[in-house]
Amino acid sequence: MKLFVRLFLATALVSLAHAAIPPLLDKHCVECHDAETKKGDFDLTALKSDLTQPQVFAQWVKVYDQIASGEMPPVKKPRPDTAAAAGYLSELKQTLQAAEDARIRREGRTVKRRLNRFEYENTLRDLLRAPWLDVRESLPEDTEAHRFNKSGEALDVSHVQLARYISTAEDALRQVLVANAEELPVASKRYYARDQGSYTGPMKFSVFNQAPERATFPTLGFAAQPEVRAGKAPISVGKSDPAQRELEGVGVVASAYEPIEPKFANFKAPASGRYRLKLCGHSVWVGPGDAKKWFIPNLDQVSKGRRPEPVTVYALTPPRVLRRIGNIDLNPDVTVADLDVQLEAGESIQVDAVRFFRSRPGAGRWQNPLAEKDGQPGLVMRWIEVEGPLVDTWPTASYQQLFADLPVKKSATSPLKVEVTPNDVAKDAERLLRRFVQQAYRRPVSPQEEVRFLPLVQNALKTGSSFAEAMVTGYTAVLTSPGFLYLQDQPGRLDDYALAERLAFFLWNSPPDAELLALAKAGRLHEPAVLRQQTDRLLDDARSQRFVSAFLDYWLELRKVGVTNPDENLYPDYYLDDHLVESAGDETRLFFAELLKRNLPARHVASSDFVFVNERLAKLYELPPVIGSQFRKVSLPANSVRGGLLTQASVLKVTANGTTTSPVVRGAWMMERILGRKPPKPPASVPAVEPDIRGATTIRQQLESHRKQESCAACHVKIDPPGFALESFDVVGGYRKAYRAIDGKEREVGFGKNGQKFAFHNALPVESQGQFNKRNFADIREFKALLLKDERQLARNLVGQFTVFATGAPIGFADRPKVEKLLDAAQAEGYGVRTLVHGLVSSDLFLNK
């Protein structure tokens, strides 16, 4: 009976509500929001009453929110009677909730969706037991909805996309098959720097290189070898003197960048898979040139280093496609560093001394900013040792996923083809296909579904394809079928298989594993205690890093941290600093993972008393120095401007363009990403305010003029203050008291990472004060303190971001009470981030489609 009454009320309210403009709106709102005035591009007189239309529903929600928040009518206008406003809001709230509840019962909260390209790559990696697979770049970039790549509203499938999925799946299957068709001997092999042409070639000057900074130099132990560098002695003693060979090295004083890019190209991964690397090297000190040009290194004067040097290790695909696989530190004493990595077939290894400069042509001759009167630091590599590909069993798990125990060998006609020998072609084809479908689909499969694509295999065999090729055809069809590409949820309560799928793609950005599927099969996953235990298990698993990376890539736009480059004239100290950019992203991922691991309160999003830094970030943040590339958790000094996400280099970089910062851009970003308040859209007719890099006027002065326009003032009073709080941070996150400018005045003293003299000077002072929530703040410290006055809103926003990522749908009007209930339950634990995840997973928001 209650359900009938509810449905009746919903139907009646949807059809009858707002047939005419309600008196309260007519009296207090229509004056500014009619067809003629239409302030904010909002016309109440044109607003329809059919709440089944999404756009109409959204407009009425806007009406509710504007009145409920007190933003409308404006302060200067007559306010409605409190009781009248409360009565109207109560009626409108019931109407909107009833309408949305009815839609959810019909359709569910979310739109059915396919896997995005990151999920697809992870799913192939897990299914095919091939963690090295790199296929996402082969697929079209996913469209966003609600700032994430997780919504069916945006993840459509066109014929072009389907064609790319087919080619990508087929290519992935072939890569896996070729990589696992031949058992390779697992042996360690050492590759010496003296045997690499890219190390020894730059020892000699050429028409392209006349500068010692761009040359390499030979060392024996910790001493230089002038005769070898001069070509008067052999490059290496080679196998004739193994003991001396171990002491031979090749050094650099510059970072790996054109024209000096030493690499271990004699090694190329023979097959895709897991490898163990050892890298041997040490730091050195290279003496100065003559007294007047002390900054030019004397490559024949080398001694033991004075400090460790941070090194980034890359997998290299020729000519210059680099993929970071690790960071190590090489000490003044000979160091052997270990890395366990996944390599793709054909990749080699390149190391980069990331603290060193990268010489670029400019107005004058370059100068190493690390050079001192008595010399400059250098790095020597002696050798790398490679062991692999490493496999646990043979045939490998990857091969067994595709062909079980059938014999396999590489084709005699092509190294990219394999030959699989079936016992019985027809029976093996059906057996393997059934088995593969059962493993690929994330739910029970009927016997008919298992053989749906068997005719494709049979037809390929009839037309001359080999057994392996025919099976690849069938497997490709499975990997591009709706049952594999799409999440399998239906309106209403999720069944245990759909729940396993949603939980895994939330916390792993990957498909459910055997344990989740076993619990789904037993019908136990929905049990609260089991679901909680599994949530913790997934969060504690290494695969949760996929969630951390994918979530931050879109919530904070971390995927864009390397999109813009710092201007080489305004910010030469950041220009070409890949290590800084990589470290910025690493910090944010480590920080967020810490919030999850330790269940730290959501207020840490705004402010914390610790950061994760390595040497480069500690220097940027002006913290007590730490040495090396490895990150460590560091307590912040009292009254530090750092702590939380807002003042991390990654966030400050993605909200700048490399040349200037804008309080409007940063303010709008913070409103939406941190405060959970959607910023208003800028009027199309009003041009954006561009900061003045000449230093004649500050951005505050420009915006004050901009806000004199009535159409701009109402929005900027909300957007600008959070942005001004961040104005004390430059385009990469360095703290500043003045803006940099280029206008011919006296320049600051120093050299950039490109070796060129600074071309900028410090101009007008930064003003970071403002007003937020009717309270004044003087700087970022006071602004953070204001944010912490409403910890619930920080937690509410985090729940909203999690919800979109986990379900593909934003918090709707009818969802709001569910969110408040979740927050009430989390309040006692200070809105711990892990508690919020548990609260979401156990809520109707997550458990229903």
Side-chain angles (χ1 to χ4, degrees):
M1 183 66 181
K2 288 182 179 179
L3 179 60
F4 172 80
V5 171
R6 193 174 180 185
L7 288 171
F8 174 80
L9 284 173
T11 304
L13 289 167
V14 168
S15 59
L16 297 177
H18 316 302
I21 296 176
L24 184 141
L25 300 185
D26 189 40
K27 180 178 180 180
H28 293 280
C29 305
V30 170
E31 178 186 357
C32 296
H33 298 286
D34 59 8
E36 293 183 8
T37 311
K38 207 175 180 180
K39 281 192 175 182
D41 198 30
F42 196 66
D43 180 7
L44 278 170
T45 62
L47 194 51
K48 295 179 170 43
S49 61
D50 183 4
L51 297 182
T52 63
Q53 299 297 316
Q55 288 184 331
V56 173
F57 185 87
Q59 289 174 323
W60 280 111
V61 170
K62 183 177 181 180
V63 170
Y64 178 90
D65 288 342
Q66 291 289 305
I67 298 173
S69 67
E71 291 193 28
M72 291 293 165
V75 176
K76 296 180 181 179
K77 295 286 184 178
R79 311 288 289 178
D81 176 75
T82 303
Y88 176 69
L89 287 174
S90 177
E91 177 186 346
L92 182 56
K93 180 179 181 179
Q94 292 179 32
T95 303
L96 293 172
Q97 283 186 332
E100 189 159 60
D101 283 341
R103 180 190 65 79
I104 291 173
R105 282 191 296 274
R106 287 193 314 271
E107 306 168 5
R109 287 185 65 256
T110 64
V111 178
K112 195 173 187 66
R113 75 169 180 92
R114 62 167 171 82
L115 303 180
N116 62 45
R117 60 185 187 146
F118 293 89
E119 293 168 331
Y120 190 76
E121 178 181 81
N122 287 338
T123 302
L124 291 187
R125 286 176 172 179
D126 289 359
L127 174 65
L128 302 177
R129 309 291 196 270
W132 45 266
L133 267 178
D134 185 4
V135 300
R136 66 177 177 267
E137 295 302 327
S138 302
L139 297 168
E141 188 162 356
D142 298 311
T143 309
E144 296 175 43
H146 316 297
R147 294 298 186 186
F148 285 93
N149 60 343
K150 290 272 193 173
S151 174
E153 298 171 38
L155 295 174
D156 56 347
V157 176
S158 67
H159 69 281
V160 174
Q161 287 171 312
L162 186 56
R164 293 282 284 277
Y165 271 101
I166 291 171
S167 63
T168 298
E170 182 179 355
D171 183 59
L173 288 164
R174 293 185 188 282
Q175 286 187 57
V176 170
L177 194 50
V178 169
N180 295 277
E182 182 180 27
E183 186 173 11
L184 298 174
V186 179
S188 295
K189 185 174 180 180
R190 189 166 290 184
Y191 298 85
Y192 292 92
R194 293 284 184 99
D195 295 335
Q196 314 300 314
S198 60
Y199 271 94
T200 59
M203 287 183 190
K204 299 177 181 179
F205 293 127
S206 68
V207 67
F208 300 107
N209 177 28
Q210 297 292 328
E213 295 95 331
R214 289 184 166 187
T216 58
F217 54 92
T219 59
L220 185 66
F222 298 104
Q225 288 186 292
E227 290 192 351
V228 173
R229 193 170 77 85
K232 297 178 181 178
I235 286 290
S236 171
V237 295
K239 296 179 181 179
S240 65
D241 189 343
Q244 182 171 324
R245 191 183 195 188
E246 292 300 308
L247 300 176
E248 293 177 340
V250 182
V252 294
V253 296
S255 170
Y257 201 72
E258 189 180 16
I260 177 171
E261 300 172 271
K263 58 188 74 70
F264 289 89
N266 287 1
F267 163 73
K268 287 184 172 55
S272 298
R274 177 174 161 245
Y275 290 79
R276 189 174 294 118
L277 303 181
K278 293 181 181 293
L279 302 100
C280 179
H282 56 91
S283 63
V284 293
W285 189 257
V286 181
D290 61 47
K292 292 184 178 179
K293 295 183 178 180
W294 50 268
F295 49 85
I296 298 177
N298 180 351
L299 303 182
D300 294 334
Q301 184 183 335
V302 178
S303 58
K304 194 172 183 179
R306 299 179 178 180
R307 50 150 293 158
E309 288 300 339
V311 173
T312 298
V313 184
Y314 294 99
L316 169 68
T317 300
R320 286 191 176 92
V321 179
L322 295 172
R323 182 173 62 87
R324 182 167 59 124
I325 56 175
N327 293 90
I328 62 174
D329 296 300
L330 297 181
N331 301 312
D333 290 318
V334 177
T335 308
V336 178
D338 296 283
L339 290 175
D340 200 303
V341 301
Q342 297 287 337
L343 295 178
E344 296 179 48
E347 286 185 322
S348 56
I349 302 299
Q350 179 169 314
V351 299
D352 184 12
V354 293
R355 198 172 69 96
F356 296 173
F357 86 126
R358 292 177 162 180
S359 60
R360 307 313 303 155
R365 190 197 186 281
W366 54 74
Q367 180 172 325
N368 187 346
L370 298 178
E372 300 177 24
K373 294 285 186 179
D374 65 340
Q376 56 193 277
L379 181 82
V380 168
M381 288 301 300
R382 292 190 177 182
W383 47 260
I384 68 167
E385 189 173 283
V386 185
E387 182 183 4
L390 304 172
V391 296
D392 296 325
T393 60
W394 189 264
T396 65
S398 293
Y399 179 80
Q400 292 181 55
Q401 282 290 91
L402 299 175
F403 291 100
D405 56 353
L406 295 182
V408 62
K409 65 179 181 178
K410 283 200 171 182
S411 170
T413 60
S414 171
L416 299 180
K417 292 184 178 182
V418 302
E419 296 176 1
V420 176
T421 305
N423 298 316
D424 182 303
V425 173
K427 289 182 179 179
D428 284 338
E430 182 174 339
R431 173 176 65 91
L432 292 174
L433 186 61
R434 285 185 184 276
R435 179 172 172 270
F436 187 76
V437 170
Q438 291 170 358
Q439 294 170 335
Y441 287 0
R442 303 171 290 275
R443 56 180 173 79
V445 186
S446 69
Q448 293 77 18
E449 277 187 293
E450 291 174 357
V451 294
R452 175 177 295 168
F453 301 111
L454 186 58
L456 292 177
V457 179
Q458 294 168 337
N459 184 64
L461 289 167
K462 288 178 184 178
T463 55
S465 293
S466 68
F467 182 76
E469 290 292 320
M471 293 308 300
V472 166
T473 298
Y475 293 155
T476 299
V478 174
L479 298 180
T480 54
S481 65
F484 185 82
L485 274 181
Y486 279 82
L487 301 185
Q488 303 300 310
D489 48 5
Q490 302 297 329
R493 204 70 163 179
L494 298 179
D495 66 30
D496 274 26
Y497 285 98
L499 181 57
E501 193 174 54
R502 175 170 283 184
L503 185 66
F505 280 111
F506 174 28
L507 299 180
W508 283 351
N509 211 37
S510 310
D513 65 354
E515 184 170 334
L516 278 176
L517 292 175
L519 287 167
K521 183 178 181 180
R524 297 194 57 213
L525 185 57
H526 69 280
E527 296 174 11
V530 174
L531 185 58
R532 183 177 185 85
Q533 184 271 331
Q534 288 298 307
T535 300
D536 278 329
R537 181 178 72 87
L538 267 63
L539 285 173
D540 293 337
D541 190 279
R543 280 168 286 188
S544 65
Q545 287 304 309
R546 294 177 176 177
F547 158 58
V548 170
S549 295
F551 179 66
L552 297 180
D553 272 354
Y554 282 84
W555 174 37
L556 303 180
E557 297 188 289
L558 217 60
R559 69 193 189 282
K560 297 181 180 179
V561 72
V563 169
T564 60
N565 294 316
D567 184 87
E568 63 179 306
N569 293 313
L570 279 170
Y571 295 99
D573 39 346
Y574 306 145
Y575 177 60
L576 300 178
D577 197 340
D578 295 340
H579 182 52
L580 173 57
V581 176
E582 292 166 351
S583 298
D586 291 344
E587 177 201 9
T588 304
R589 286 183 283 270
L590 286 167
F591 180 83
F592 188 75
E594 181 78 351
L595 302 190
L596 279 169
K597 180 181 178 181
R598 295 182 54 209
N599 194 27
L600 296 177
R603 65 173 176 268
H604 283 74
V605 166
S607 181
S608 67
D609 61 0
F610 68 90
V611 290
F612 284 89
V613 292
N614 58 7
E615 179 176 356
R616 185 63 187 91
L617 285 180
K619 180 182 178 182
L620 178 73
Y621 294 169
E622 299 177 334
L623 296 175
V626 298
I627 300 297
S629 63
Q630 303 306 305
F631 276 84
R632 62 222 74 183
K633 187 178 178 181
V634 173
S635 297
L636 289 169
N639 208 34
S640 173
V641 297
R642 303 294 172 177
L645 289 171
L646 303 181
T647 51
Q648 290 184 8
S650 63
V651 166
L652 295 162
K653 188 174 187 303
V654 299
T655 54
N657 63 14
T659 302
T660 59
T661 61
S662 167
V664 179
V665 173
R666 282 179 168 171
W669 187 95
M670 196 191 306
M671 279 187 68
E672 184 171 11
R673 314 288 174 142
I674 305 299
L675 303 178
R677 300 170 183 169
K678 197 168 184 64
K681 292 182 179 180
S685 59
V686 180
V689 177
E690 296 294 338
D692 179 12
I693 65 170
R694 299 169 303 167
T697 57
T698 66
I699 186 67
R700 181 181 289 274
Q701 292 168 335
Q702 290 176 279
L703 284 172
E704 284 175 355
S705 175
H706 187 70
R707 283 196 296 268
K708 291 178 181 178
Q709 302 179 58
E710 187 178 355
S711 61
C712 302
C715 297
H716 280 279
V717 74
K718 303 174 189 175
I719 295 172
D720 294 355
F724 275 121
L726 297 178
E727 271 299 277
S728 292
F729 301 92
D730 63 29
V731 299
V732 177
Y735 188 77
R736 64 186 177 187
K737 294 182 178 180
Y739 294 102
R740 293 183 181 185
I742 302 173
D743 60 1
K745 292 184 179 179
E746 186 175 349
R747 302 170 177 178
E748 295 297 312
V749 176
F751 290 84
K753 194 174 177 70
N754 61 357
Q756 295 298 319
K757 287 184 178 180
F758 288 167
F760 68 89
H761 73 279
N762 288 317
L764 297 173
V766 170
E767 298 176 282
S768 58
Q769 73 275 14
Q771 188 179 76
F772 179 72
N773 286 345
K774 300 180 180 179
R775 294 185 176 94
N776 294 329
F777 62 86
D779 57 19
I780 185 62
R781 302 177 188 86
E782 293 186 6
F783 179 76
K784 287 182 180 181
L786 292 180
L787 289 182
L788 296 183
K789 290 183 179 296
D790 192 358
E791 292 184 32
R792 190 178 180 94
Q793 180 56 32
L794 295 173
R796 184 181 291 116
N797 170 64
L798 202 50
V799 170
Q801 304 291 350
F802 283 154
T803 301
V804 179
F805 186 87
T807 71
I811 298 297
F813 191 85
D815 297 330
R816 293 177 180 180
K818 300 180 182 71
V819 172
E820 297 311 309
K821 181 181 178 182
L822 187 162
L823 293 173
D824 288 342
Q827 186 173 3
E829 295 187 32
Y831 307 109
V833 174
R834 197 180 186 104
T835 299
L836 296 179
V837 170
H838 277 298
L840 174 61
V841 168
S842 62
S843 74
D844 287 344
L845 295 170
F846 192 87
L847 297 174
N848 293 322
K849 179 179 182 298

